[in-house]
Structure formats: structure tokens, C-alpha cells
Amino acid sequence: MLEIRTDRLVLRPARPGDLRAFHAILSDRDATAFWSTPAHTDITETQAWLDAMLAIEPAQGEDFVIELDGRVIGKVGMYAFPEIGFILHPDAWGRGFAGEALRPVLDRAFAVHDLPTVEADVDPRNTASLRLLRRMGFEETGRESRTLKIGDEWCDSVYLSLKNPKADGARREGASAGSIAP
Ligand SMILES: CC(C)(COP(=O)(O)OP(=O)(O)OC[C@H]1O[C@@H](n2cnc3c(N)ncnc32)[C@H](O)[C@@H]1OP(=O)(O)O)[C@@H](O)C(=O)NCCC(=O)NCCS
């Protein structure tokens, strides 16, 4: 089973026993303020969410549970390539854990899965996520209004993209080879 260790965290695949920990996160109003669904009010909603995470096929995506000292504090990964998603329990915010978890997941996206880009769709009010993604090197590619109706509220999207550094290198090599070609 794939497990990634960072300085402070363990990233691992989801297990059925993660249900209560994820319900604590997905029922939290602050954690889900800009999430793609309203805060879960019933554990059956979290069960369906976790079942979907457990059912991800390796060719379709790669999502990781984030553990700190044996406790589940969130998730980071791609439910479906190449769309990145992350959520942490508010108790764990502000200590650099999201960046620490995201870095190796992005490295794998390019080095192992060979994705040309990783993409993100963020509510423009979600400043913590926008700061995090920009710090990771993501660049804004566009904005759209009223992309997602969450409960009764229409939300907007900022689209961001991170390019595979190998693709940049290949393009640079291609450009220089092209410039000396007869
Ligand atoms: C977005 C989210 C995951 C960020 O989590 P986080 O762990 O607080 O994020 P970071 O890793 O960036 O850390 C936050 C701060 O800790 C700081 N930090 C970084 N490394 C650190 C370290 N080793 N020690 C202490 N602080 C550190 C960072 O500088 C950052 O501060 P800044 O934003 O002022 O620059 C979290 O706010 C969240 O779960 N939000 C709700 C879910 C959500 O909206 N998901 C995205 C949907 S698109």
C-alpha cells in the first residue's frame, strides 16, 4: 500500500475506519465554507463521500488521507485526474500542513502519473486556498461567474493550473533544437 511520509505527516489511502474523522471535517462549517457541497449534517453523506474515495480507480485518480501523529486531519489529492482537492480540519490550519502534504502529491502527479498539468477550481473568496496554490506555483488561467450552486447560493470559480516542469524543459529543448536546425 502506497504511503508517503513527509517531515510531520503520513499520506495514505483511505480506509473504511476513517468515517468519523472525515465526518468531523465535512460537517464543520468553516472547513466547508467554500467546499463543493454544503456541510454534511448526516453521517450517511460522509459515508457516500468516503465510499467514492475508496472506489477511485488507480487510472482515474489518486487521493490521500493526511495523518498527523496517527490522527486523520484531512485529505489531499486528485479524486479525478488532473483536478486537485484538499481539506483540513480547522484545528490543523495555519501550520503549513496543507503545503507539506500537497508538495509530494504534485511531484507524483508529474513524475509518476506524467500529467501535463494539475488543475484547480477555487471560489474567489477562498483566500487560504488561493494563497496555498499560488505558493505551490499555480497560475490563474481564468474566472467564471455562477459556476456552482451550493445549497441556495451561486458561487464563482477561479481556475488555476500548474504545468508539468518536464513539459517546460521539453519545450525549451525543442525550441533550442529548432533554432539550430537547418
Ligand atoms: C486551504 C487549507 C487546506 C489550507 O491549510 P493550511 O495548512 O492552513 O495551509 P498552509 O499549508 O498554506 O499553511 C497556512 C499558513 O501556515 C504557514 N506555514 C507554512 N509552513 C509552516 C510551518 N512549517 N510552520 C508553521 N506555519 C507554516 C504558511 O506560510 C501559511 O501562512 P500564509 O497563508 O499566511 O502564507 C485550509 O484552509 C482548508 O482546509 N480550507 C477549507 C477547505 C478548502 O477550501 N479546500 C479547497 C477547496 S478548492
Side-chain angles (χ1 to χ4, degrees):
M1 184 194 289
L2 174 64
E3 192 174 273
I4 300 171
R5 283 177 185 271
T6 69
D7 284 349
R8 297 175 292 173
L9 306 170
V10 173
L11 311 185
R12 59 154 176 88
R15 299 176 192 141
D18 296 328
L19 179 63
R20 294 215 163 266
F22 276 119
H23 188 61
I25 298 167
L26 292 166
S27 61
D28 186 281
R29 299 217 170 261
D30 292 329
T32 55
F34 306 115
W35 197 238
S36 47
T37 55
H40 292 183
T41 53
D42 193 298
I43 200 152
T44 57
E45 293 172 85
T46 311
Q47 182 72 67
W49 181 91
L50 181 60
D51 288 346
M53 188 168 169
L54 289 163
I56 297 171
E57 294 288 340
Q60 176 203 344
E62 185 174 70
D63 231 348
F64 293 95
V65 171
I66 308 171
E67 270 187 14
L68 171 71
D69 300 330
R71 183 172 85 93
V72 172
I73 59 163
K75 83 109 200 173
V76 60
M78 282 165 282
Y79 168 69
F81 294 133
E83 181 87 19
I84 194 78
F86 39 80
I87 188 165
L88 259 59
H89 193 288
D91 286 355
W93 290 2
R95 293 156 67 189
F97 292 136
E100 187 171 325
L102 199 46
R103 190 72 272 160
V105 171
L106 295 173
D107 289 347
R108 280 182 61 79
F110 299 132
V112 177
H113 302 296
D114 206 23
L115 301 180
T117 61
V118 173
E119 306 290 331
D121 175 346
V122 183
D123 188 305
R125 297 168 296 177
N126 192 350
T127 46
S129 293
L130 290 170
R131 280 176 77 105
L132 170 68
L133 289 166
R134 289 190 176 122
R135 194 153 25 91
M136 295 287 124
F138 279 74
E139 289 180 3
E140 186 175 327
T141 55
R143 286 181 183 235
E144 266 182 57
S145 299
R146 296 168 66 84
T147 46
L148 196 60
K149 197 171 187 192
I150 300 171
D152 290 335
E153 187 192 19
W154 276 103
C155 298
D156 302 338
S157 287
V158 181
Y159 301 111
L160 301 104
S161 182
L162 181 68
K163 281 189 200 144
N164 188 326
K166 278 192 294 187
D168 259 1
R171 257 199 304 282
R172 271 200 301 278
E173 276 168 35
S176 83
S179 67
I180 55 165

